[in-house]
Amino acid sequence: MKISFKLGIINVFMLLTLLIGSALTLNFYLGASSTIRDFGSQYSRTLTEKIVERSDSFLRLPAQQVQAIAPLIQGDRLLAERETYWQLMWDQLQLLPYCDNLYLGDEQGNFLQVRRRPRPTTWYLDRHADAKKAVHFYRDSQYRILEQVEEPTDYDPRKRPWYRIADAKAGLRWTPAYVFTSQRTLGLSAAYPLLSKEGRKLGVMAVDIGLPELSEFLKHQRPTANAVTYIVNPAGELIAYSDPSQVILEDDFGGLRQRHIEELPDPWIAALHAEHMAQGREDLEHEHLGERYFSRLVSFPGDIGQNWQVGVIIPADDLLGPAQAMLHRGVLITLGAMVLALLVIYLVAGRVSKPIISMARQMEDIRQFKLDAIHPVPSVFKEVAIMSDSLMRATRGLQSFRKFVPAELVQRLIKSGEEAGLSGKREELTLFFSDIAGFTGLSEMLSPDDLMQQLSLYLDRLSQIIMEEQGTIDKYIGDSIMAFWGAPDPVEQHAQAACRAALRCQQALWELNQAWLAEGRPPLETRIGIHSGEVVVGNMGSSNRLNYTVIGDSVNLASRLEGVNRFYATNIIISESVFAKLDGHFHCRLLGRVKVKGKRRGVDIYELLGFASEPLSEEILHLKREYEAALAEYWRRDWNQAEERLLRLQQLWPGDASISLVLENCRRLQAQPELAGDAWEGAFAFDSK
């Protein structure tokens, strides 16, 4: 009788599974109890070591910070340097989220403190000025002062335990755990003396360390649902407990105090702790009221804990109960068989799944538009190799595609899984137009190859800057660039981003011109117009060919502003709507009010001069101040006064086109005042772009 290969493999696996399962079940039955006991003891030992190590690190880190920065504090100049020391302590608190207070006291009773809760506060006590008054500065999370309050106080740091324990020779010292009144939580303080060069105590620096986080840590370290972990002091008072709500309680007078271990709701915890104390052993297996427990109690080492003890108690049923149930049901036989089967499947499936998983991850990278991370996936399987080759071809196609369409838009389409269609919505964006001055003449001077090489380098450098500043390049119109900020993805402060890009473009062009002049090539001059306003942005075109672009009156205005540079002999002109969003981060000069073709109302325009972080020369500041004053006189119809001011300014700046433009209009209006009717707003009309 012959059977199929597939059936033979199944029979072999079934027999093997049965034999291994039976052997494992018998072995577990004989050794389970001993193994679980050893495991409970070892786990308790490992857990207590971990708790001690983490607790020691938790408490010692802020103390070491105090010890490290204390030498930076001049103990006899606390009040004189209080702003510096406040800032230093504030910065340290940001690094220590579980510490609430850092403070300094000196031998004269002066005091400085930075407090996190109940609200961020810095305050000081000046014994020289008024020993009964504390000055509090309430602050926000950015350290900005919100309120200053003076409150009466009889506080004297020299009488506090943290100050008294830190003598000149003791080094770092710790207070016993106590309840922080303002935070209503348990904590302790670490103190370090401030010494003079001669070793004399000048004051003390201390930090308050909250202990609730220790209880939270113990809560998550319980090996089973019914196990408990705790830390107590020699008096049996809780320092931390796996149920954080049990650590402190309210006394008869409405105050808070530490809970004693005998006051816990479960009396067996105190009983087992007492048995440990009586026998003096670290590991115990004992019974209480018919229940068995594994427990371990060790001392907290070092100088921090002050004879604290760390305890772990695990009910035996939590460990033995599930194992015994598994024995009765024979689960281990099944598990053994599954382990063996999974091992074989794993070896076979790994060869098949590894390249497929790799391609799945790369397909996710494509969805995230991380195209540079895509690479060929080697495989011995023909079908996988075909899939990898197709994936690489698709990636190269997308890499080419993103050169024609904004990358953010392509990424959004891939993520959504939707087909692009006609769409549009109204958004406030910042529009950017650039154009090379005199490009027609330049194109006649250069050969086509030289022209394309120079133009490509120019467009590449400017485009890179625009994209670095989160701009979206809409299109190239010959030598011109049209870009916008705020779509398809939002851009915070998009007007400022566009202005940064414009200034960086001009700087980059200056660098290119220096290189071109050295090569004997003609330099380029580019003019830029920027305007912020409402547009319609989206996919526009026909059903079978789309273009992601913007339309609207604001687009036309931005384009016109680029052309207005020609009349003012400027490089960057921004509109009043852009200027209103700059918040003083840029230097700008008011040029005038223009009425461009297609606009009924005049628009105030500004020349973008540079970053506010780079100061202007006195000459430029004088030009800006006097020119803007002349504009104000011009708009008030005081043309004679404006002319006199502009003539003086023209002697200093004879080549400034803006001065000549306003001066010419002053003279024309003085000669023909009837030109300034009731609707006159002082705008210059430019009928051509």
Side-chain angles (χ1 to χ4, degrees), residues 162-192:
W162 59 267
Y163 192 97
R164 295 199 302 268
I165 63 174
D167 57 52
K169 298 180 180 180
L172 186 66
R173 296 295 300 273
W174 303 82
T175 67
Y178 62 98
V179 175
F180 294 163
T181 304
S182 57
Q183 288 84 21
R184 298 180 67 83
T185 59
L186 190 65
L188 77 167
S189 302
Y192 191 81

mmCIF file of all heavy atoms in Angstrom, residues 162-192:
data_model
loop_
_atom_site.group_PDB
_atom_site.id
_atom_site.type_symbol
_atom_site.label_atom_id
_atom_site.label_comp_id
_atom_site.label_asym_id
_atom_site.label_seq_id
_atom_site.Cartn_x
_atom_site.Cartn_y
_atom_site.Cartn_z
ATOM 1 N N TRP A 162 16.802 70.187 56.151
ATOM 2 C CA TRP A 162 17.708 70.047 55.015
ATOM 3 C C TRP A 162 18.915 70.966 55.143
ATOM 4 O O TRP A 162 19.999 70.644 54.630
ATOM 5 C CB TRP A 162 16.962 70.333 53.703
ATOM 6 C CG TRP A 162 16.346 71.710 53.609
ATOM 7 C CD1 TRP A 162 15.080 72.062 53.949
ATOM 8 C CD2 TRP A 162 16.971 72.907 53.141
ATOM 9 N NE1 TRP A 162 14.864 73.397 53.730
ATOM 10 C CE2 TRP A 162 16.013 73.941 53.229
ATOM 11 C CE3 TRP A 162 18.242 73.217 52.660
ATOM 12 C CZ2 TRP A 162 16.292 75.245 52.850
ATOM 13 C CZ3 TRP A 162 18.527 74.522 52.270
ATOM 14 C CH2 TRP A 162 17.550 75.527 52.372
ATOM 15 N N TYR A 163 18.753 72.101 55.818
ATOM 16 C CA TYR A 163 19.875 73.025 55.961
ATOM 17 C C TYR A 163 20.808 72.553 57.074
ATOM 18 O O TYR A 163 22.039 72.596 56.938
ATOM 19 C CB TYR A 163 19.343 74.436 56.262
ATOM 20 C CG TYR A 163 20.401 75.507 56.146
ATOM 21 C CD1 TYR A 163 20.517 76.235 54.966
ATOM 22 C CD2 TYR A 163 21.281 75.786 57.191
ATOM 23 C CE1 TYR A 163 21.492 77.215 54.839
ATOM 24 C CE2 TYR A 163 22.254 76.755 57.067
ATOM 25 C CZ TYR A 163 22.362 77.473 55.894
ATOM 26 O OH TYR A 163 23.320 78.417 55.765
ATOM 27 N N ARG A 164 20.223 72.076 58.153
ATOM 28 C CA ARG A 164 21.046 71.715 59.308
ATOM 29 C C ARG A 164 21.900 70.474 59.051
ATOM 30 O O ARG A 164 23.003 70.354 59.583
ATOM 31 C CB ARG A 164 20.154 71.489 60.538
ATOM 32 C CG ARG A 164 19.428 72.765 61.000
ATOM 33 C CD ARG A 164 18.955 72.616 62.449
ATOM 34 N NE ARG A 164 18.065 71.475 62.603
ATOM 35 C CZ ARG A 164 16.752 71.529 62.499
ATOM 36 N NH1 ARG A 164 16.168 72.683 62.234
ATOM 37 N NH2 ARG A 164 16.004 70.437 62.650
ATOM 38 N N ILE A 165 21.390 69.526 58.220
ATOM 39 C CA ILE A 165 22.143 68.282 58.035
ATOM 40 C C ILE A 165 23.355 68.466 57.125
ATOM 41 O O ILE A 165 24.282 67.656 57.157
ATOM 42 C CB ILE A 165 21.238 67.175 57.463
ATOM 43 C CG1 ILE A 165 20.729 67.564 56.078
ATOM 44 C CG2 ILE A 165 20.102 66.849 58.403
ATOM 45 C CD1 ILE A 165 19.957 66.461 55.392
ATOM 46 N N ALA A 166 23.352 69.510 56.303
ATOM 47 C CA ALA A 166 24.431 69.693 55.326
ATOM 48 C C ALA A 166 25.530 70.564 55.934
ATOM 49 O O ALA A 166 25.573 71.771 55.722
ATOM 50 C CB ALA A 166 23.881 70.323 54.038
ATOM 51 N N ASP A 167 26.408 69.973 56.704
ATOM 52 C CA ASP A 167 27.515 70.755 57.253
ATOM 53 C C ASP A 167 28.690 70.718 56.283
ATOM 54 O O ASP A 167 28.692 70.015 55.273
ATOM 55 C CB ASP A 167 27.914 70.219 58.638
ATOM 56 C CG ASP A 167 28.290 68.750 58.600
ATOM 57 O OD1 ASP A 167 29.147 68.386 57.765
ATOM 58 O OD2 ASP A 167 27.714 67.962 59.377
ATOM 59 N N ALA A 168 29.717 71.467 56.614
ATOM 60 C CA ALA A 168 30.823 71.686 55.688
ATOM 61 C C ALA A 168 31.577 70.408 55.361
ATOM 62 O O ALA A 168 32.161 70.274 54.282
ATOM 63 C CB ALA A 168 31.781 72.731 56.267
ATOM 64 N N LYS A 169 31.587 69.426 56.260
ATOM 65 C CA LYS A 169 32.374 68.221 56.042
ATOM 66 C C LYS A 169 31.530 67.020 55.631
ATOM 67 O O LYS A 169 32.073 65.976 55.271
ATOM 68 C CB LYS A 169 33.140 67.872 57.321
ATOM 69 C CG LYS A 169 34.141 68.954 57.746
ATOM 70 C CD LYS A 169 34.867 68.535 59.011
ATOM 71 C CE LYS A 169 35.867 69.618 59.450
ATOM 72 N NZ LYS A 169 36.584 69.235 60.686
ATOM 73 N N ALA A 170 30.228 67.146 55.663
ATOM 74 C CA ALA A 170 29.367 65.978 55.461
ATOM 75 C C ALA A 170 29.180 65.631 53.990
ATOM 76 O O ALA A 170 28.926 64.498 53.646
ATOM 77 C CB ALA A 170 28.000 66.212 56.106
ATOM 78 N N GLY A 171 29.308 66.612 53.097
ATOM 79 C CA GLY A 171 29.024 66.353 51.688
ATOM 80 C C GLY A 171 27.524 66.224 51.454
ATOM 81 O O GLY A 171 26.717 66.892 52.103
ATOM 82 N N LEU A 172 27.136 65.348 50.534
ATOM 83 C CA LEU A 172 25.727 65.154 50.193
ATOM 84 C C LEU A 172 25.010 64.426 51.325
ATOM 85 O O LEU A 172 25.456 63.386 51.786
ATOM 86 C CB LEU A 172 25.612 64.357 48.894
ATOM 87 C CG LEU A 172 24.210 64.186 48.327
ATOM 88 C CD1 LEU A 172 23.643 65.520 47.888
ATOM 89 C CD2 LEU A 172 24.245 63.212 47.147
ATOM 90 N N ARG A 173 23.867 64.984 51.763
ATOM 91 C CA ARG A 173 23.096 64.392 52.856
ATOM 92 C C ARG A 173 21.621 64.306 52.460
ATOM 93 O O ARG A 173 21.146 65.050 51.591
ATOM 94 C CB ARG A 173 23.232 65.247 54.132
ATOM 95 C CG ARG A 173 24.650 65.312 54.680
ATOM 96 C CD ARG A 173 25.133 63.932 55.173
ATOM 97 N NE ARG A 173 24.303 63.403 56.218
ATOM 98 C CZ ARG A 173 24.471 63.660 57.512
ATOM 99 N NH1 ARG A 173 25.474 64.439 57.909
ATOM 100 N NH2 ARG A 173 23.666 63.145 58.417
ATOM 101 N N TRP A 174 20.915 63.406 53.145
ATOM 102 C CA TRP A 174 19.512 63.147 52.826
ATOM 103 C C TRP A 174 18.649 63.334 54.076
ATOM 104 O O TRP A 174 19.032 62.934 55.170
ATOM 105 C CB TRP A 174 19.318 61.714 52.333
ATOM 106 C CG TRP A 174 20.155 61.387 51.141
ATOM 107 C CD1 TRP A 174 21.460 61.019 51.115
ATOM 108 C CD2 TRP A 174 19.728 61.424 49.777
ATOM 109 N NE1 TRP A 174 21.880 60.819 49.830
ATOM 110 C CE2 TRP A 174 20.826 61.058 48.987
ATOM 111 C CE3 TRP A 174 18.514 61.725 49.154
ATOM 112 C CZ2 TRP A 174 20.768 60.973 47.615
ATOM 113 C CZ3 TRP A 174 18.450 61.645 47.776
ATOM 114 C CH2 TRP A 174 19.572 61.281 47.030
ATOM 115 N N THR A 175 17.482 63.897 53.875
ATOM 116 C CA THR A 175 16.510 63.979 54.964
ATOM 117 C C THR A 175 15.695 62.692 54.998
ATOM 118 O O THR A 175 15.628 61.965 54.005
ATOM 119 C CB THR A 175 15.543 65.151 54.761
ATOM 120 O OG1 THR A 175 14.725 64.890 53.610
ATOM 121 C CG2 THR A 175 16.292 66.463 54.573
ATOM 122 N N PRO A 176 15.051 62.383 56.124
ATOM 123 C CA PRO A 176 14.072 61.282 56.104
ATOM 124 C C PRO A 176 12.899 61.649 55.189
ATOM 125 O O PRO A 176 12.681 62.817 54.860
ATOM 126 C CB PRO A 176 13.630 61.185 57.572
ATOM 127 C CG PRO A 176 14.702 61.883 58.350
ATOM 128 C CD PRO A 176 15.244 62.946 57.472
ATOM 129 N N ALA A 177 12.145 60.637 54.768
ATOM 130 C CA ALA A 177 10.953 60.895 53.957
ATOM 131 C C ALA A 177 9.926 61.665 54.793
ATOM 132 O O ALA A 177 9.762 61.419 55.987
ATOM 133 C CB ALA A 177 10.353 59.588 53.466
ATOM 134 N N TYR A 178 9.243 62.617 54.147
ATOM 135 C CA TYR A 178 8.211 63.402 54.821
ATOM 136 C C TYR A 178 7.186 63.844 53.788
ATOM 137 O O TYR A 178 7.419 63.744 52.575
ATOM 138 C CB TYR A 178 8.807 64.608 55.551
ATOM 139 C CG TYR A 178 9.496 65.602 54.646
ATOM 140 C CD1 TYR A 178 8.844 66.760 54.203
ATOM 141 C CD2 TYR A 178 10.812 65.410 54.236
ATOM 142 C CE1 TYR A 178 9.477 67.680 53.393
ATOM 143 C CE2 TYR A 178 11.460 66.322 53.421
ATOM 144 C CZ TYR A 178 10.785 67.450 53.000
ATOM 145 O OH TYR A 178 11.413 68.357 52.185
ATOM 146 N N VAL A 179 6.034 64.318 54.238
ATOM 147 C CA VAL A 179 4.955 64.728 53.342
ATOM 148 C C VAL A 179 5.195 66.168 52.905
ATOM 149 O O VAL A 179 5.349 67.066 53.735
ATOM 150 C CB VAL A 179 3.579 64.596 54.023
ATOM 151 C CG1 VAL A 179 2.483 65.143 53.101
ATOM 152 C CG2 VAL A 179 3.302 63.144 54.370
ATOM 153 N N PHE A 180 5.258 66.384 51.572
ATOM 154 C CA PHE A 180 5.338 67.732 51.018
ATOM 155 C C PHE A 180 3.961 68.385 51.153
ATOM 156 O O PHE A 180 2.988 67.950 50.529
ATOM 157 C CB PHE A 180 5.740 67.702 49.547
ATOM 158 C CG PHE A 180 7.139 67.200 49.294
ATOM 159 C CD1 PHE A 180 7.530 66.779 48.038
ATOM 160 C CD2 PHE A 180 8.072 67.157 50.318
ATOM 161 C CE1 PHE A 180 8.808 66.331 47.788
ATOM 162 C CE2 PHE A 180 9.342 66.710 50.085
ATOM 163 C CZ PHE A 180 9.726 66.280 48.825
ATOM 164 N N THR A 181 3.891 69.438 51.944
ATOM 165 C CA THR A 181 2.591 70.030 52.263
ATOM 166 C C THR A 181 1.895 70.584 51.033
ATOM 167 O O THR A 181 0.706 70.336 50.808
ATOM 168 C CB THR A 181 2.781 71.149 53.306
ATOM 169 O OG1 THR A 181 3.443 70.605 54.444
ATOM 170 C CG2 THR A 181 1.428 71.715 53.720
ATOM 171 N N SER A 182 2.631 71.357 50.205
ATOM 172 C CA SER A 182 1.980 72.009 49.065
ATOM 173 C C SER A 182 1.566 71.009 47.993
ATOM 174 O O SER A 182 0.541 71.175 47.342
ATOM 175 C CB SER A 182 2.913 73.062 48.454
ATOM 176 O OG SER A 182 4.140 72.464 48.061
ATOM 177 N N GLN A 183 2.357 69.928 47.819
ATOM 178 C CA GLN A 183 2.017 68.937 46.798
ATOM 179 C C GLN A 183 1.153 67.804 47.349
ATOM 180 O O GLN A 183 0.603 67.014 46.581
ATOM 181 C CB GLN A 183 3.297 68.329 46.198
ATOM 182 C CG GLN A 183 4.058 69.273 45.284
ATOM 183 C CD GLN A 183 4.973 70.199 46.056
ATOM 184 O OE1 GLN A 183 5.327 69.896 47.196
ATOM 185 N NE2 GLN A 183 5.335 71.330 45.478
ATOM 186 N N ARG A 184 1.079 67.670 48.698
ATOM 187 C CA ARG A 184 0.323 66.610 49.364
ATOM 188 C C ARG A 184 0.788 65.233 48.872
ATOM 189 O O ARG A 184 -0.012 64.335 48.601
ATOM 190 C CB ARG A 184 -1.188 66.774 49.134
ATOM 191 C CG ARG A 184 -1.736 68.064 49.710
ATOM 192 C CD ARG A 184 -3.231 68.206 49.471
ATOM 193 N NE ARG A 184 -4.007 67.212 50.200
ATOM 194 C CZ ARG A 184 -4.365 67.305 51.470
ATOM 195 N NH1 ARG A 184 -3.999 68.363 52.187
ATOM 196 N NH2 ARG A 184 -5.074 66.347 52.050
ATOM 197 N N THR A 185 2.105 65.088 48.742
ATOM 198 C CA THR A 185 2.709 63.818 48.358
ATOM 199 C C THR A 185 3.906 63.561 49.249
ATOM 200 O O THR A 185 4.426 64.463 49.913
ATOM 201 C CB THR A 185 3.168 63.836 46.894
ATOM 202 O OG1 THR A 185 4.118 64.896 46.714
ATOM 203 C CG2 THR A 185 1.998 64.030 45.946
ATOM 204 N N LEU A 186 4.361 62.313 49.245
ATOM 205 C CA LEU A 186 5.527 61.929 50.031
ATOM 206 C C LEU A 186 6.801 62.203 49.243
ATOM 207 O O LEU A 186 6.826 62.028 48.018
ATOM 208 C CB LEU A 186 5.437 60.441 50.385
ATOM 209 C CG LEU A 186 6.451 59.918 51.414
ATOM 210 C CD1 LEU A 186 6.206 60.561 52.776
ATOM 211 C CD2 LEU A 186 6.361 58.396 51.518
ATOM 212 N N GLY A 187 7.844 62.620 49.932
ATOM 213 C CA GLY A 187 9.116 62.869 49.275
ATOM 214 C C GLY A 187 10.228 62.973 50.295
ATOM 215 O O GLY A 187 10.031 62.773 51.501
ATOM 216 N N LEU A 188 11.418 63.280 49.785
ATOM 217 C CA LEU A 188 12.552 63.552 50.663
ATOM 218 C C LEU A 188 13.447 64.558 49.971
ATOM 219 O O LEU A 188 13.266 64.856 48.783
ATOM 220 C CB LEU A 188 13.326 62.275 51.005
ATOM 221 C CG LEU A 188 14.270 61.670 49.955
ATOM 222 C CD1 LEU A 188 15.151 60.617 50.601
ATOM 223 C CD2 LEU A 188 13.515 61.062 48.792
ATOM 224 N N SER A 189 14.404 65.103 50.712
ATOM 225 C CA SER A 189 15.259 66.154 50.182
ATOM 226 C C SER A 189 16.710 65.709 50.242
ATOM 227 O O SER A 189 17.142 65.046 51.185
ATOM 228 C CB SER A 189 15.090 67.453 50.982
ATOM 229 O OG SER A 189 13.749 67.885 50.968
ATOM 230 N N ALA A 190 17.470 66.098 49.201
ATOM 231 C CA ALA A 190 18.920 65.890 49.171
ATOM 232 C C ALA A 190 19.588 67.261 49.261
ATOM 233 O O ALA A 190 19.211 68.186 48.529
ATOM 234 C CB ALA A 190 19.333 65.178 47.890
ATOM 235 N N ALA A 191 20.536 67.417 50.169
ATOM 236 C CA ALA A 191 21.156 68.723 50.420
ATOM 237 C C ALA A 191 22.672 68.617 50.287
ATOM 238 O O ALA A 191 23.280 67.594 50.639
ATOM 239 C CB ALA A 191 20.783 69.231 51.812
ATOM 240 N N TYR A 192 23.273 69.710 49.787
ATOM 241 C CA TYR A 192 24.728 69.754 49.609
ATOM 242 C C TYR A 192 25.210 71.142 50.030
ATOM 243 O O TYR A 192 24.632 72.154 49.633
ATOM 244 C CB TYR A 192 25.085 69.484 48.148
ATOM 245 C CG TYR A 192 26.553 69.243 47.921
ATOM 246 C CD1 TYR A 192 27.102 67.991 48.166
ATOM 247 C CD2 TYR A 192 27.389 70.245 47.464
ATOM 248 C CE1 TYR A 192 28.455 67.754 47.954
ATOM 249 C CE2 TYR A 192 28.733 70.013 47.251
ATOM 250 C CZ TYR A 192 29.269 68.764 47.492
ATOM 251 O OH TYR A 192 30.597 68.555 47.278
#
